[in-house]
Amino acid sequence: ESSKVAIQLFEALEKNGFDVFLDTHSVRPGEPFQDELWHRMADTDIVVLLNTPGFLKSEWTTKELAKANAMMIGILQLIWPNHKQERDAELSIPFQLYDTHFGNNHFTNSNSYLTNDAIEKIVQQAESLRARSLAARQDNIVTEFISAAKKTGVPVALHPEKIIITTKFSGQNYVMIPTVGVPQAFRYNQAEDVVKKIAAIKDPQICLIYDHINIRNNWLEHLDWLDKHLPIKAIKIFDAEKWLKKP
C-alpha cells in the first residue's frame, strides 16, 4: 500500500539534493542484496520509514528498523492514517499522515499517492532530521575516541569544529576528523581544507575516524589500499584504543 508513495519520495528527495537509496531502484543486478542494504545504511544520514499497517509483519523490515536504531540513524516515520507509531520505532520522529495528505483521500493500496503539499513538508522534515542525525552520530564517534584516549593516557583536545587534536608519546601530532558514513574521496579532500584552519599544529598527520560496522569488505579493502597511498589515513573507531597505544 506504499509502493507509489515510495517512488514519489524517491523522486522528490533526489530533486532536493539527497542521494536516495530505494531497494527496488538502487541495488544493481548480481549484487548481494542484504549486504548492499546494510552497507548503504552505514552510509545513510536518515531512514524514511513508511509505517503502513503491514510494515512490521515482515521479518526483514523489522531487522532493518532495529539496525537503523542501533546505528543511531535518524528515522522519519511516516504513519499511515488509522495506524499508530510502532513501539519499536519510538526513537524516530513521527509524521502523522491523514487522508487529506493523499490524492482523492485514498490511502489503502499501491495506487495511493501523496499530495504535493505533503511531499514538500516531508522533504523539509527530512532535511531538518538529517542535520540532527549527522551531529548525533559525529558526537558518538568523538565520545568513543576521547574515551579510548583516556584509557591509554594519550592527551587530547577537542576543537570547536569537533576535530580532535592529539599527540602520541612519540611526539607526532595528529588531527582526527570524525567521519560519519564511508570515507570517500570528497571527505579526504575536505579533511585537508579543515586542517588548514588550524595553523598552530606543527606537521600534523591527518586521520579520518569512522565506524566500519556494516561497511562491505570490498570497501574496507579499498580503504586499506588508500592508507598505503594517501597522506591522510582512515582509522576505525573500533581500533582507536589499539591505534593510540602504538608509537
Side-chain angles (χ1 to χ4, degrees), residues 109-200:
N109 62 43
S110 59
N111 291 318
S112 305
Y113 65 93
L114 294 171
T115 64
N116 290 336
D117 182 59
I119 291 285
E120 184 177 335
K121 290 177 180 176
I122 291 166
V123 170
Q124 290 172 356
Q125 285 280 348
E127 186 56 62
S128 174
L129 178 58
R130 176 181 176 274
R132 281 178 282 169
S133 178
L134 277 171
R137 294 175 72 193
Q138 189 179 48
D139 285 345
N140 188 57
I141 292 173
V142 168
T143 299
E144 288 195 38
F145 186 85
I146 291 176
S147 175
K150 287 180 178 178
K151 290 178 183 177
T152 57
V154 176
V156 295
L158 182 60
H159 191 271
E161 295 189 27
K162 295 186 180 179
I163 297 168
I164 303 168
I165 300 166
T166 185
T167 303
K168 282 194 178 183
F169 297 125
S170 63
Q172 174 65 52
N173 296 316
Y174 291 87
V175 175
M176 316 298 295
I177 301 177
T179 303
V180 176
V182 181
Q184 297 178 356
F186 179 64
R187 291 188 174 112
Y188 280 84
N189 185 52
Q190 280 182 317
E192 289 191 326
D193 291 339
V194 167
V195 172
K196 288 175 184 176
K197 300 177 183 178
I198 314 175

Side-chain angles (χ1 to χ4, degrees), residues 19 44 47 54 89 101 103 128 243:
D19 176 16
T44 288
V47 167
H101 286 121
S128 174
W243 179 83

Side-chain angles (χ1 to χ4, degrees), residues 77 107 191 226 233:
Q77 184 179 168
F107 54 86
L226 289 177
K233 308 303 179 186

